[in-house]
Structures are given as C-alpha cells and as structure tokens.
Amino acid sequence: MATYLEFIQQNEERDGVRFSWNVWPSSRLEATRMVVPLACLLTPLKERPDLPPVQYEPVLCSRPTCKACNIDMPALIKLFPSFQFPPAYGGISEVNQPAELMPQFSTIEYMIQRGAQSPLIFLYVVDTCLEEDDLQALKESLQMSLSLLPPDALVGLITFGRMVQVHELSCEGISKSYVFRGTKDLTAKQIQDMLGLTKPAMPMQQARPVQPQEHPFASTRFLQPVHKIDMNLTDLLGELQRDPWPVTQGKRPLRSTGVALSIAVGLLEGTFPNTGARIMLFTGGPPTQGPGMVVGDELKIPIRSWHDIEKDNARFMKKATKHYEMLANRTAANGHCIDIYACALDQTGLLEMKCCANLTGGYMVMGDSFNTSLFKQTFQRIFTKDFNGDFRMAFGATLDVKTSRELKIAGAIGPCVSLNVKGPCVSENELGVGGTSQWKICGLDPTSTLGIYFEVVNQHNAPIPQGGRGAIQFVTHYQHSSTQRRIRVTTIARNWADVQSQLRHIEAAFDQEAAAVLMARLGVFRAESEEGPDVLRWLDRQLIRLCQKFGQYNKEDPTSFRLSDSFSLYPQFMFHLRRSPFLQVFNNSPDESSYYRHHFARQDLTQSLIMIQPILYSYSFHGPPEPVLLDSSSILADRILLMDTFFQIVIYLGETIAQWRKAGYQDMPEYENFKHLLQAPLDDAQEILQARFPMPRYINTEHGGSQARFLLSKVNPSQTHNNLYAWGQVRNFQVFGEDAKLTE
Amino acid sequence: MNVNQSVPPVPSFGQPQPVYPGYHQSSYGGQSGSTAPTIPYGAYNGPVPGYQQTPPQGMSRAPPSSGAPPSSTAQAPCGQAAYGQFGQGDVQNGPSSTVQMQRLPGSQPFGSPLAPVGNQPAVLQPYGPPPTSAQVTAQLSGMQISGAVAPAPPSSGLGYGPPTSLASASGSFPNSGLYGSYPQGQAPPLSQAQGHPGIQTPQRSAPSQASGFTPPASGGPRLPSMTGPLLPGQSFGGPSVSQPNHVSSPPPQALPPGTQMTGPLGPLPPMHSPQQPGYQPQQNGSFGPTRGPQPNYGSPYPAAPTFGSQSGPQPLPPKRLDPDAIPSPIQVIEDDRNNRGTEPFVTGVRGQVPPLVTTNFLVKDQGNASPRYIRCTSYNIPCTSDMAKQAQVPLAAVIKPLARLPPEEASPYVVDHGESGPLRCNRCKAYMCPFMQFIEGGRRFQCCFCSCINDVPPQYFQHLDHTGKRVDAYDRPELSLGSYEFLATVDYCKNSKFPSPPAFIFMIDVSYNAIRTGLVRLLCEELKSLLDFLPREGGAEESAIRVGFVTYNKVLHFYNVKSSLAQPQMMVVSDVADMFVPLLDGFLVNVNESRAVITSLLDQIPEMFADTRETETVFVPVIQAGMEALKAAECAGKLFLFHTSLPIAEAPGKLKNRDDRKLINTDKEKTLFQPQTGAYQTLAKECVAQGCCVDLFLFPNQYVDVATLSVVPQLTGGSVYKYACFQVENDQERFLSDLRRDVQKVVGFDAVMRVRTSTGIRAVDFFGAFYMSNTTDVELAGLDGDKTVTVEFKHDDRLNEESGALLQCALLYTSCAGQRRLRIHNLALNCCTQLADLYRNCETDTLINYMAKFAYRGVLNSPVKAVRDTLITQCAQILACYRKNCASPSSAGQLILPECMKLLPVYLNCVLKSDVLQPGAEITTDDRAYVRQLVTSMDVAETNVFFYPRLLSLTKSPIESTTEPPAVRASEERLSNGDMYLLENGLNLFLWVGASVQQGVVQSLFSVSSFSQITSGLVRARSQGNMGVEKLGQYHILCHVS
C-alpha cells in the first residue's frame, strides 16, 4: 500500500493530478458500482521548478479529431493508434530524443513564440461609499499595489458610488473622468460609445488592416502602463474622496456596483478582448441601486438572509444574480477575470456576485474592513512571485481534455466555464460543468485546481486485454504572467483492471483523500442548486453504498464492520463535510456560504481537506505538539490547541493554561518553559498565516472566551447535553451539535 | 363725369359682400378691366372738380359730416355717398361699401397730411395763404376726390387687385387695395382727415403743434389757434377739432395748390407705369405721394424694400405724394423733448399721459408707477366694452417690473411687515396700495379693486385725518407710492423654505467651430475678470451668486472647482439621453473662494480642446444638466449657454436642418417660426419649475434653427444673442459688451407676476418671455431689468368714470442675494364715456409695441400675409372710428389723424416692413426667428427705435460738439451724397458714407485715400472726434455707390 501512497504523491508532484482511483475498473457497469466516480483533481499550473519550458511548439496528433499532443512515453503511442510522427521528428535517435518522449516528462510545458504579446491589465473598480479610514486604508493598499505590478502592465481605475466614474489616466493637468449614472443598465456598445472607444464608421473601415496596432492606442486613455502614470495614479488615488452625495439618516449609501462592473467589463471587452486582464472590485457594502442591486437603500430593511431566501423573500436576488451572471459570462468569454474584495461588517452581496469570481477564476476575498491585515496582506499576496520571479497568476487558459476511447468526459468542477466543445469523448452524463471537453479558466494560479470527472464507457462484454492502459491528456493553453502564451501538457496513463478478479487491486489503488474532495465538490456543486437536506441525503447514500461495496462486516453485527486502510478515513471526511459550512448554511450568511464554497471549489487537495476537516494540534508540556482528534474530548484544561480551518486559525488556551497566563507566569524567568509553550502555537500559526491565501482570520482565545465558539463549533460534539453526565461530569462545557456524531 | 362714375360704384359697394369677395375679379373685371382706362382718368378728372369744390369743403367743416357733400357737387356725391353709407350702415354696410372708397382716400389723405408736415418751409407759406382753411380743405378734398374717384372703381375689387391689376386701372387701386383692409367706414374718416389737417396742432398748445409738425409752420399763421380753443371742446366742435388734427393737411394744400393740381394730373399718366416704383418711396415712410402714391401704393407694398426701391421713386417724385407731407417722427420726438423733457413727470395725477420714451425726463413717484415700469396704450379707458370695440384701440400695458432707473431716481423702497407679511385684500388678494380706502376711522379698508371691505389688523391700525387719509400715509411707501417692495414671508417661498442664493452656470460649446473661431479662448479669458462683477445686492461686499462651469460638444464635461483642489477635475458625461449631474460638491462655488481653481480651469479649457475634431453638438441635454444641477443645489439660477451649431448629435432635442426659403409667403411659412419638436417646450417647463433661466449666445455660421433653440430662453425669461459668422477680430467687442452687460445685470429669479385690475377690466393676454401654466400667473424663471411683459386688457363689465381703472402688478421674485420679495406697481387710469377722450390720451409708441408683439405672435399661427392684413385693418379701424366720432367732417379722401396717433401709420408701416412680416431676400430664417423672439420682450423705447431706426447725420454737426448729431427721417431720400450717416435700431449700427463725402473725412476715418477704397463690411471705429459713435465701437459700413 505504501507503494500506492508513494505513487500517488509522486504523481501529484509531477503532474498535479490526483485520481480517485488509480487502477481503473474496466467496464462501465463495474465503474458505476464503485460508487465514487472515476475522477481526478487537476492542478494545471502546479509549480514545477524542475520543469524547463520547451522552446518549440508541440506536435499534434495528425488525426483531425484527436489532436493530442505528443506523449510522454513511447509506450503510450500505441494507445493512440493513429499517432504518426510528423516529418520534423525524422531525426529522432536514441541519443537525441525530444523531451516529450522521455518518461520523466509526462508533463511538459511549451512556450509559444508567435503572436503579439499583450501586457497584463489590472482594472481597479473601487467603491467610494466607505468610511473615511476604510477608504484611506484601501487607497494606501492600492497605491502600494502599483509598485508590485509588472512595470509594463496596464492599469485602469473606475470608482463608483452613486455614480460611476471611469478615470482617464493619460491627461496632463486637469484630471478627467467619464461619469455614468449608477442606475442605468448599459450595453457594451453603449458603454464603448460613451467612452469614445468606438471610432467613427469611416475611419474604422480604412483602418481595419492596421487595427491590431491601433488597439493599444485607442484604449490608452483609460488603461495606461504603470511605469508611465505611476505618479499620476498615486496622486489620483490620494485625492479620491468619499462619495459626496449625502446619505440621509436611516439609509444606505447608494452604491452602483452593478453598473460599475458592467462598465469595467464593457471597457475591457471593447479594448482588450482575449488578453490577460484582472478586474479587481473593491467594495464596502451591498449594491443598493441600479442593475445588480441586492438590497434597497432603506436601512430598516435588512439584506436577505438564508431565511428570506428559503421563504422566497429576497426580492432583488434573482435579478441581481442574473445581472452578474451575464457579466461573468461575458467576462469569461473575453478571457478576463474578476476579483471581488468585499470588506464590510454586513453582507455585501457576494451571493449574487459570486459567479463573477467563480466563472472567471477570479479571487473572492471577504473581510470586515479594508483596514485589517486580513485584507491588506491578502491583497499583497496576490502579487507575490514564484521562484522564477514571475507573478503567480496566469490568464485566459483553456483546458482541453482528451481521453482514450474507453473513457468519456463527464464534466468539471472548478473556476471554469464550458467552451461547449463536443466530441466523441464527451459523455452525455454530466457531472459538474459537462457536455464539453474544453473549459476556459480565465484566471488561475499554481494552486487552482479543478475536479474532472470521467465515465468509463467500455462495455462489460468487450474486455480490455490484460495490462491495457487507459490514457488521459490534459492540455492547458494559457497566458503566462510574463505575457507569453504557453501550453502545458500532462499525459496520464493508468492500468485497467477487471473488478471481478482484481477488486483488491482496485481497492488498494483508491485515493481516499482525492475521493473525499471530489465527492465534496460534487456535493457542494449540488448544494448550489438543490436544497441542503437533499444533498446531505445524497452524500449519506453514497457513503453507505461505498461501505456496502468495500466494507467487510457480518450482517446484524455493527462491531464487525471494517474498512481497509485505503478507505478508513473516508467516512470521517464525509462526517466533517456534512457539518462544514459548505453544506450547512446554519449560522452562516448567504455571503459567507458563497465565500466558503468559492474557495472550496478552487483550492488544491491539501487545502480542501483542511477545509473539510480542520486540523487540530495540541500543545502541552508532555511532548511535542501532536495532532489530535477534532473532538470535544481533545479540549483539555492543560493544553493549548491550534485549529486551522483554512479560513480561521484559532489558538485556544485550556482553562489552566489561561489561568497561568493570567497570573503572569510566562513573565517569570523560572517559568520560561511556559513562555515557550505559549509561544509555540503562535509561531506555528504565523507560519500558516504567511503561506495561506486568502489570509485566514486569526483568532487568539482561551477557555471561556467569546471567540472560543470558533473552535467549539467545529469539534465533534462527543460531549453534549445528552451525554455530558454519562461522561462523569468531568467537563464543564457542552458542545451543541445538531446531528450525527463521529464517535460514540 | 368722373364723379358720377364713381358714384355708381359706391352704391354697389354699399353691398358689403361684393366688396370683399369681388375684390380681384369683380372690381377688375368689371371696371378696371373694361373701363379701366376711362375710369382712372375719370378719377383724375374728378380731383379737378374737387378742387373747384374746395370751397365747399371748407363749408364741409362747419357741417361736420353732411355739410360738405351738399356744397360740393362733384364731391358731394362721393363724399355723401360715403357718408351716407356710413350713416346708414354704421359700421357694417357703411364700411363695407365705403371701404374701397376709404382705402383709396386713406392712402391719399395720408399723403396729403404728411406732405404738409414734411414741407415745413413750404407749409409756412402755404399756411400763410391758406389761412382760409377752406383752401386747404379744398386741396385736401381735391386729393380726396382724386382718391375717391379712383377708389370708386377699384373699390369693389381692387382692394387686393391693385397689385395684380393692370397698371392703368390699378394705379389708383393699389392704394385702395392696401387700405381695403381697413374696410369699415374709414373712407369717411379719411375724408375728414383731410379736412382736419389743422386739428393736430390745435390739440396741443399752439407751440407744440408748431414743433410737432413743422416748426416753421407752427400755428402762428395757421388757424390752429382757432382750433386750439375748439379743441378743448372737441366734443362740441367736431369740425373744429378735426381741423386741428389735420394740421398737416392744410399745409400741403397751401403749398401745392399747384402741385396738387399737378398731382392729380400727374397721377394720371404715372398711374399706369409707376405704381410699383412709386410705392417704395412710400415705404420709406413717406406717405407723401398723394396721387402718385395711390398708384404707387399698389406696387410699393409688394416691393416694399425701404432702401432698395429708392431708385424707383426718385425718378417719379412729381407723381408721388410728397414724403414731406407725412408726419415726421423726428419732429414729434423733438417737440416732445423740448416740451416735456425739462420738468419732472409727477405721477400724482390719475390718467396722465407720460412723455414719449424718446424724451429724457425724471419721474417723481407720487402714487402711480413710473412710466419706466408701466406704460399704457391709453391712459383713458372707455367705460364700456362697446366703446372699446368701436374704437379698436387695444388696451394694453407694457410692464417692465424690474426696470432700471436713472441714478437720480430712487429704487423702490423695501417694506418689511415682519412675520405677518404684506397686507392684502381678503377677496382679490390685491396688495395694500395708495388707492385703498380706509373707512370707519381707519379700522377697515375697502379694496380699490374688488370693493371688498377688510379689517385692518391691529398692528397696522392708524387714525385717519379729516380727509379720510391715514395719518401715516406719507410714512408708508405702500400708502403713498406707486412702486415699492415687500419682503416676502416664508409663505411666499417654494416648499415653504427660504431660497438659497442663486447660481450662474456657464455652459460652453467646445466643438470644432467654437474652438476654431477663437470664441472659447476669448470667452474663457473674459470670464476670468467678469466673474468679479456678478450682480450683488445693495451694498453687499461680494456677490452671493455661485458659479459653475460646463463645456460640451456631443458629450458634457462638468468641472469640479472646489476650493480645496489643486487642479480642477473634469467629469465627462456621455449619457446624453438621460442627463444627470455627476457631482454635487464643488460644481457650484463661490468665486472668491475657488478663484485659483477657476482661473486654472479657464486657462486650460482652450488648451484641452485645442485639437478637437468634434463637430457635433447637443443642446437639450446641456440645459437639462444645468437645470438638474440647480435642482440638486436647491436653488434658482441662470444658465449662460454659448452655442455654435445646429444640435445634430444623437440626443434628445436633436434637430435637422429644415430651413426652406420656398416656404416664405406660403401658408406653411409659420412652421419656420415654430419649434421642430416638443422636447424644448417640455424642457422649458421643467426649467421654469426649477427657476432656471437660460440665456443663449449663438455663434452660428449657418442655419441653427433659432426658432427652436430660442424656445427655452423665451419661456424661461432669458435672452438670446446671435452673432452670425462670429470672428474674434470683428465681433469681439460687441459680444463682450453684451456678455458683460448680461452677466452684470440685476436679475430676479423664480418669479411670478400677477396683474390685478379694477372690476370691469381684466388682463386677458400676455406677451413676453415667460411661461404661463394658468391664465393669470406669469411665471418667469428669471427676470431682468430689460425684460418687458405686455399685458392686454378686455372689459368684462362697465368701468366707472369716477373711480377710474386701477392696475396693480405684483411680482414675487428671489433677488440675486437670495431674498424673496414682492414688487408692487400701481397705476390709476381715467375712464371715459367719450371716444374723443380715449383718442386724446393714447400713446402711439406703446400701441406699436403691443401691435408688433401681437403680430409677431400671430406669425406662429397664421400666414404672414393675414397677419399684416390684420394689422392694417386694425389701424384703419382705429383711425376710422376717430374720424367718424371725433373729427369734424371733411372730404372723403382726406386722412385725419388724432394728434397722439399721428405717427401711427408711419410706425405701423415700419412694423409691416420689418423682417419678420416682410422678409427681404437676404434675411435668413434664423434672423427672422431671432428678431421675432427679440421683439417679444422689448420695451417701448426699444420697439420705437427698432422699428423706426435713428438716422444721424454725422457731418452736420461740428466734430467737436458733444451733443448728438441731428436725427434725420429714416428715408433713403434723405441721404445726401456729401454726408455720412449713422443708422441704428438698437440691434445694428450702419455707417453710410456718401460717395462725395469730403476726402479728409474719409482719410481720417478709414485711413484710405478715397471713397472707392473703403471696403464694405465691418471696420473698427477709430476714435476720431466724437460723432457720438466711438463708444459704439464698430459698425457696418455701407458704401453708397451711385
């Protein structure tokens, strides 16, 4: 088994791929009986320091319907029987093999030299209906970001409040902006007309041949190279004022987020279609007017809650969602992405706007204020660079998946949109976003991960010969942050196995972590459109079926139930998943749910697992920190707990520890070890904080502290009001849980 | 023979119907066509007999109407016939039948009376001889006869026919045609007029007469003295009265007995050919061509051009009426200046006719509003509507509520009644005024307008003296003055909130045209200094008015000029379909606080757009933006729009070029004056609701559709300025001085004006730049000291001769400092039961003001020709009524003019010939629309000089003299080749240089050596000497090449 674990890990490191099954059941029927579908988590841009980009273009399989790239191992060539070497490969010899024919290059990255390189574009869309200090903090962050941008990147600025202002950055002296009413929905054409981006008909026709060159020129007024207008923009940002329109008592400020986004999308659509661009929306509250409004400006009417939504009482939700979906789709079609940075104490309409980030691969960041390190550092982290000094972001990617003919593609779940490319390898059964073999991922980073689901279509009566392998190739075209076009090709092959005869084999090749995440993604995907309980029931049923299939037990004897090692953790993941905010909306606002789900749908396997089952470390004098069960039984008076839920980092001091600290022992030299004990979790937390994106909420609490709820809500309620006394009344606290418990 | 001939037609005319319908054909066909040749001759012959009869005419005087006819045989028939008809048909039959007669005579008579006037010297002589009025009348009659004769035939169909008709027949007819419109019963008056020539002078004191007409001719020689006495008793001595009126007529008689003779004779030959040419001279204002003119008349109208036609007339002088015979406006003005310019006009007496607008005089307010505020067409109103209808004299008041006063006169006192506000009648809501009657020892007062009895509030109580006057009457402006102001309470404010100070928004077209001409640079440069001179109230340190700036082409650019900014910020709004104001704070600012930013902005605007290629502009969204800005700032204000081209960009209010000269003189001509779309009216309405006044400066170099663009300024109480083909070097001074004046002038905002009157009459119609949402309240988004509202009154009951008629004009407005005020003007008029009283207290200038406005509004709805006819008809009716009821009888062909209306025909003719009513070939549609709207809010002085321009002879007075050069009658014939003239009508200034003017003058003025080197066009005046022109800066030069 260890071999499989190594294999899995090695594959992940090399290709960024984790399959739920690493040996594939060879017939359709058997595959469906396996409960967990054949699927994989693909991290298309997984960082591969050891992977040198190849400076030439890939060779394509010459059969028009296939077009697979060259494959890593010569052995695989036979899997694509029609493959023929093109003439260029005439000089192949044992000594001089192209990289793609070497086994260690199952993933290969090509750089494409042709085509104009267009600079990256960053369009800031800034809400001015903020509190003074919030706005100030935001302005500083934005100014700071200018120094982080690639110098030749183009930047643009749109501010909005009651009106929407598109700032012209090129002009000297007088600062100039185009102003739009915040209540009027404009078509892309209108926006471009009003911004003067369309040229009169006559010159247009004449200029058509040279149009590509003119492109940058036409748009220079609103999008300028950072190095040119660095100072200007810094001043401009510095002079930004709060929205001047008076807000009367009992009203929300009028915020035209919908129109502002629409204009941002329209602006880029008209000027830089299909080039890498980020629209970065900074908002401090819900849209309150115009298309995409989420709540009215009357403060006495609160923004919708889950309760309202269930009661069908959220009057603006559908319309707003539709508006943002339309924008998101347009943006995706243009290859741009939208980030949403929403910082407010109340909801800001992320529920309605989520698709903007979800469909375009943009980021979604939620905080309480722009004046928090959570926002500031998260924002800063967007511009971090990798070992090559390149920004860890890529744009306008298309993911093309090809399979050998025993497989078909059922769908994908992740920050992508379908490109609606039908083909022989596209299944009719959809899981996630299906019906296509290509997806567009407008914005992605090295951790962006998609779940891709397959269907085995090989019929039971047409067995695959022993030792047969199935192959899948992932081809990702993208624009690197250096503005180069690149293609990364990953080719995977796995053995087929007959379930009847080789069930153990298959069992052993089960990747329970990947499977848990993949199932969770399916569940979350369903939860977006279905009622919560239905999804839970579905998950339960899947778990039960899986246990039936792979568990060993005697009927009527619960204690006899056993799962093999490769399945042992799976039920636990499912348990925590059921309780996670991804499926439970209780105690979360619709915005929070959207936020959590957004991140769940894009993070890689490790992070996803943390999200499903938070990690709990226990620190004590008894030894080095150790991971403990996420269970209320782990909460002990003389321990310090560090919990990482991905979104929060909680440090919890047990009762005794808290008392000691209160008594100030840590300051006494003779208790230096206590001081170290206190410090240890802080250091570890800091380490996590440094690495994570988005920056988690950092909570430092103690026994009885109000913030302890973050811990208590996560742990398995093994001790509750029901069984508290049965456990001998050792504990003076209860954990309330609403459903199943893991232990018992 | 002739007479006989004429006679028969008369009866036929008696039948009203034939007259009108038949005009063209019947008359022509029947008489002109067939007998034409004979008839005209006959007609002329007629005159001769007339002369013979002249003595009898003299007789005629005595026997006012009837007498004359009997005496004269030949005439008798005519005259009698005419009179008889009148008598019989009174108005209808008489008039209709006589119409034709009248017309002809009318024209003739004019000629005759005028002639005397003009020929002052001649007149003297004539007077000498003619002491016997008989002769005069005889002449006149002769004139008449000729006219009469001619008319008879033409009368039937000629009315209109003349122009078309053959020269031969029409010669005489044309006149009739013209006057034909006068239709009813004028004929008789005309005849009378002739007889009355003397009357005019008599009406006023002898001296005045002299001055009025022909100084030399002054009454001395005349019998006027005789008439003078008679005048007082006009009612009594109809005849005598008539004589004085016609002072003018007698002179001609005297002079031209010979000429007259010739005249009549002359006419015969000329009649055939000369008609048209002859006409023109008449247009010049000379009705003079007595006989000749008749023929001329027909032609002149059509041709009408004042100057152009000159050539024609000149050759024909002998055949025409003598232009000098027409009453001279110059003389009338001069006389009035001399007589009334010296003493202040004290308004204490009810129904006083003020001096003419051309006279400089001071006003002392003693209970009635100064004529600077209100002028009436008549200061004596008929008691009944019947009388008013009979006289046809429009009853109207020209009100200029915020008129500027000369420094010697105090502006109205401001009365503050505290929280209770001004005291008003409970029923009709009239404000307390000097005419309110306090009764019951001062505890109550009776409203002078509606007679309602109101309690006097305790805090206002005061005892009465023995005359029933309040003891404090002279301490309270509202009890002793004609004009005063109240501070308004919050009840008088919009939304029950005191207004905030108004704002000025400058909205500058920065399209290619505006940049290219240098307009934008000029304007921005000027604004920098001009902003220091915004209107301020009283002794205020700085103006309370805030300013804002917008530039635009096809999109709008707003500017944030907040004082805290280092640089102005520009905000572009391209959503012109749905205009809004993109900023709140920093758009409207105090000039002093934001001076640096504003200066920087004005410096940068020309630079920013220097390379613009944008030629399209919008218009409605611009005004909308300004209005929205004011709305957002919750204040009233004024927009200054500087616009260059037809707004063809895609936006609300988009216009297309619809200029079509082919429409002129068709029924569709009126569409040229109507706005293209309703969007402008809708917008104007919104502006008025917000108190947003729009001043429009236009700089077109082609058609911009002034008719449509001026709708908003027109309805919001704004002004329109137009500088066609603007060029900085030529038009800069004119534009800048207009701009300075416009920006600096005191203005009231968000105003509502209401005119209340005594029971019996009622304000029924209003003319001017304003908007009315109901029938009584005149709403003015803005009102400045130049804007005038003309109000027409109609009877709805009887007036009382004793109590007279009172007018109270109340204007509620926001001052330029943001204070809400009420300005009250009161005026008391007399009432009369005798028409003669009415005619003695009229004001021709005001009448013309009203009639012009009435006609100019008429062109929106009726064909221009119909409008002109209406004017002519009304004038004829006024004069006919006078002749019939107030003048002594005289021969039928003689025109009789009331003294105070003796310029009416001349002036009216000027109105008829104005560009709007009779476009010349070079007049653009835009110019007509521009002038049309301009006249709508003109006051009396402006219309006076606009329609009868001042013509100053420049070389007649020594260059060093500081007095104004002598005025000359505005007739081309008066221009001498050796002289230079300046012509001004308040709008344009022309310098006319005679071909043989002294070379030295040419050299010094134009820096060229000879006349032929002067280029036509605009030149800058060089400050040479002080011909009263250098202050005017620049003017057109017309080179007289002959």
PDB file of all heavy atoms in Angstrom, chain B residues 923-935:
ATOM      1  N   ILE B 923     -32.537  88.170 -45.873  1.00  0.00           N
ATOM      2  CA  ILE B 923     -32.847  87.866 -44.474  1.00  0.00           C
ATOM      3  C   ILE B 923     -32.964  86.357 -44.292  1.00  0.00           C
ATOM      4  O   ILE B 923     -33.723  85.706 -45.003  1.00  0.00           O
ATOM      5  CB  ILE B 923     -34.178  88.530 -44.065  1.00  0.00           C
ATOM      6  CG1 ILE B 923     -34.052  90.037 -44.168  1.00  0.00           C
ATOM      7  CG2 ILE B 923     -34.567  88.115 -42.664  1.00  0.00           C
ATOM      8  CD1 ILE B 923     -33.003  90.610 -43.260  1.00  0.00           C
ATOM      9  N   THR B 924     -32.223  85.815 -43.369  1.00  0.00           N
ATOM     10  CA  THR B 924     -32.289  84.372 -43.171  1.00  0.00           C
ATOM     11  C   THR B 924     -33.446  84.022 -42.242  1.00  0.00           C
ATOM     12  O   THR B 924     -33.949  84.871 -41.495  1.00  0.00           O
ATOM     13  CB  THR B 924     -30.995  83.845 -42.524  1.00  0.00           C
ATOM     14  OG1 THR B 924     -30.897  84.426 -41.218  1.00  0.00           O
ATOM     15  CG2 THR B 924     -29.784  84.232 -43.340  1.00  0.00           C
ATOM     16  N   THR B 925     -33.818  82.794 -42.334  1.00  0.00           N
ATOM     17  CA  THR B 925     -34.886  82.310 -41.470  1.00  0.00           C
ATOM     18  C   THR B 925     -34.514  82.495 -40.008  1.00  0.00           C
ATOM     19  O   THR B 925     -35.330  82.862 -39.165  1.00  0.00           O
ATOM     20  CB  THR B 925     -35.134  80.820 -41.751  1.00  0.00           C
ATOM     21  OG1 THR B 925     -35.397  80.674 -43.133  1.00  0.00           O
ATOM     22  CG2 THR B 925     -36.305  80.309 -40.950  1.00  0.00           C
ATOM     23  N   ASP B 926     -33.260  82.246 -39.717  1.00  0.00           N
ATOM     24  CA  ASP B 926     -32.803  82.404 -38.345  1.00  0.00           C
ATOM     25  C   ASP B 926     -32.928  83.847 -37.877  1.00  0.00           C
ATOM     26  O   ASP B 926     -33.324  84.107 -36.748  1.00  0.00           O
ATOM     27  CB  ASP B 926     -31.341  81.969 -38.234  1.00  0.00           C
ATOM     28  CG  ASP B 926     -31.213  80.492 -37.934  1.00  0.00           C
ATOM     29  OD1 ASP B 926     -32.254  79.888 -37.585  1.00  0.00           O
ATOM     30  OD2 ASP B 926     -30.119  79.963 -38.044  1.00  0.00           O
ATOM     31  N   ASP B 927     -32.575  84.756 -38.765  1.00  0.00           N
ATOM     32  CA  ASP B 927     -32.665  86.154 -38.377  1.00  0.00           C
ATOM     33  C   ASP B 927     -34.097  86.544 -38.058  1.00  0.00           C
ATOM     34  O   ASP B 927     -34.361  87.277 -37.112  1.00  0.00           O
ATOM     35  CB  ASP B 927     -32.128  87.048 -39.513  1.00  0.00           C
ATOM     36  CG  ASP B 927     -30.612  87.080 -39.500  1.00  0.00           C
ATOM     37  OD1 ASP B 927     -30.058  86.940 -38.399  1.00  0.00           O
ATOM     38  OD2 ASP B 927     -30.017  87.224 -40.576  1.00  0.00           O
ATOM     39  N   ARG B 928     -34.985  86.026 -38.845  1.00  0.00           N
ATOM     40  CA  ARG B 928     -36.391  86.370 -38.607  1.00  0.00           C
ATOM     41  C   ARG B 928     -36.852  85.799 -37.273  1.00  0.00           C
ATOM     42  O   ARG B 928     -37.498  86.479 -36.476  1.00  0.00           O
ATOM     43  CB  ARG B 928     -37.266  85.817 -39.735  1.00  0.00           C
ATOM     44  CG  ARG B 928     -36.972  86.435 -41.075  1.00  0.00           C
ATOM     45  CD  ARG B 928     -37.828  85.810 -42.155  1.00  0.00           C
ATOM     46  NE  ARG B 928     -39.214  86.266 -42.069  1.00  0.00           N
ATOM     47  CZ  ARG B 928     -40.230  85.677 -42.708  1.00  0.00           C
ATOM     48  NH1 ARG B 928     -39.992  84.595 -43.428  1.00  0.00           N
ATOM     49  NH2 ARG B 928     -41.451  86.143 -42.596  1.00  0.00           N
ATOM     50  N   ALA B 929     -36.508  84.573 -37.045  1.00  0.00           N
ATOM     51  CA  ALA B 929     -36.920  83.965 -35.778  1.00  0.00           C
ATOM     52  C   ALA B 929     -36.267  84.699 -34.616  1.00  0.00           C
ATOM     53  O   ALA B 929     -36.873  84.910 -33.566  1.00  0.00           O
ATOM     54  CB  ALA B 929     -36.525  82.500 -35.757  1.00  0.00           C
ATOM     55  N   TYR B 930     -35.041  85.099 -34.832  1.00  0.00           N
ATOM     56  CA  TYR B 930     -34.308  85.805 -33.787  1.00  0.00           C
ATOM     57  C   TYR B 930     -35.001  87.122 -33.456  1.00  0.00           C
ATOM     58  O   TYR B 930     -35.288  87.421 -32.293  1.00  0.00           O
ATOM     59  CB  TYR B 930     -32.887  86.034 -34.276  1.00  0.00           C
ATOM     60  CG  TYR B 930     -32.047  86.893 -33.384  1.00  0.00           C
ATOM     61  CD1 TYR B 930     -31.846  86.544 -32.056  1.00  0.00           C
ATOM     62  CD2 TYR B 930     -31.457  88.058 -33.868  1.00  0.00           C
ATOM     63  CE1 TYR B 930     -31.069  87.318 -31.230  1.00  0.00           C
ATOM     64  CE2 TYR B 930     -30.681  88.845 -33.048  1.00  0.00           C
ATOM     65  CZ  TYR B 930     -30.490  88.478 -31.726  1.00  0.00           C
ATOM     66  OH  TYR B 930     -29.735  89.262 -30.908  1.00  0.00           O
ATOM     67  N   VAL B 931     -35.278  87.870 -34.508  1.00  0.00           N
ATOM     68  CA  VAL B 931     -35.925  89.161 -34.300  1.00  0.00           C
ATOM     69  C   VAL B 931     -37.303  88.963 -33.685  1.00  0.00           C
ATOM     70  O   VAL B 931     -37.728  89.699 -32.803  1.00  0.00           O
ATOM     71  CB  VAL B 931     -36.038  89.913 -35.637  1.00  0.00           C
ATOM     72  CG1 VAL B 931     -36.964  91.100 -35.496  1.00  0.00           C
ATOM     73  CG2 VAL B 931     -34.668  90.345 -36.102  1.00  0.00           C
ATOM     74  N   ARG B 932     -37.966  87.942 -34.119  1.00  0.00           N
ATOM     75  CA  ARG B 932     -39.313  87.696 -33.608  1.00  0.00           C
ATOM     76  C   ARG B 932     -39.294  87.518 -32.098  1.00  0.00           C
ATOM     77  O   ARG B 932     -40.066  88.142 -31.372  1.00  0.00           O
ATOM     78  CB  ARG B 932     -39.902  86.444 -34.249  1.00  0.00           C
ATOM     79  CG  ARG B 932     -41.389  86.322 -34.093  1.00  0.00           C
ATOM     80  CD  ARG B 932     -41.867  84.929 -34.433  1.00  0.00           C
ATOM     81  NE  ARG B 932     -41.544  83.983 -33.391  1.00  0.00           N
ATOM     82  CZ  ARG B 932     -42.188  83.892 -32.236  1.00  0.00           C
ATOM     83  NH1 ARG B 932     -43.218  84.667 -31.993  1.00  0.00           N
ATOM     84  NH2 ARG B 932     -41.805  83.037 -31.309  1.00  0.00           N
ATOM     85  N   GLN B 933     -38.377  86.703 -31.638  1.00  0.00           N
ATOM     86  CA  GLN B 933     -38.360  86.482 -30.201  1.00  0.00           C
ATOM     87  C   GLN B 933     -37.795  87.688 -29.467  1.00  0.00           C
ATOM     88  O   GLN B 933     -38.139  87.950 -28.330  1.00  0.00           O
ATOM     89  CB  GLN B 933     -37.635  85.192 -29.844  1.00  0.00           C
ATOM     90  CG  GLN B 933     -36.155  85.160 -30.107  1.00  0.00           C
ATOM     91  CD  GLN B 933     -35.370  85.831 -28.999  1.00  0.00           C
ATOM     92  OE1 GLN B 933     -35.811  85.838 -27.867  1.00  0.00           O
ATOM     93  NE2 GLN B 933     -34.238  86.419 -29.353  1.00  0.00           N
ATOM     94  N   LEU B 934     -36.948  88.422 -30.158  1.00  0.00           N
ATOM     95  CA  LEU B 934     -36.346  89.598 -29.528  1.00  0.00           C
ATOM     96  C   LEU B 934     -37.407  90.646 -29.221  1.00  0.00           C
ATOM     97  O   LEU B 934     -37.463  91.217 -28.131  1.00  0.00           O
ATOM     98  CB  LEU B 934     -35.311  90.168 -30.495  1.00  0.00           C
ATOM     99  CG  LEU B 934     -34.183  90.996 -29.932  1.00  0.00           C
ATOM    100  CD1 LEU B 934     -33.372  90.160 -28.970  1.00  0.00           C
ATOM    101  CD2 LEU B 934     -33.313  91.490 -31.068  1.00  0.00           C
ATOM    102  N   VAL B 935     -38.255  90.860 -30.217  1.00  0.00           N
ATOM    103  CA  VAL B 935     -39.273  91.901 -30.067  1.00  0.00           C
ATOM    104  C   VAL B 935     -40.252  91.527 -28.956  1.00  0.00           C
ATOM    105  O   VAL B 935     -40.789  92.397 -28.270  1.00  0.00           O
ATOM    106  CB  VAL B 935     -40.013  92.096 -31.405  1.00  0.00           C
ATOM    107  CG1 VAL B 935     -41.283  92.904 -31.224  1.00  0.00           C
ATOM    108  CG2 VAL B 935     -39.083  92.780 -32.405  1.00  0.00           C
TER     109      VAL B 935
END
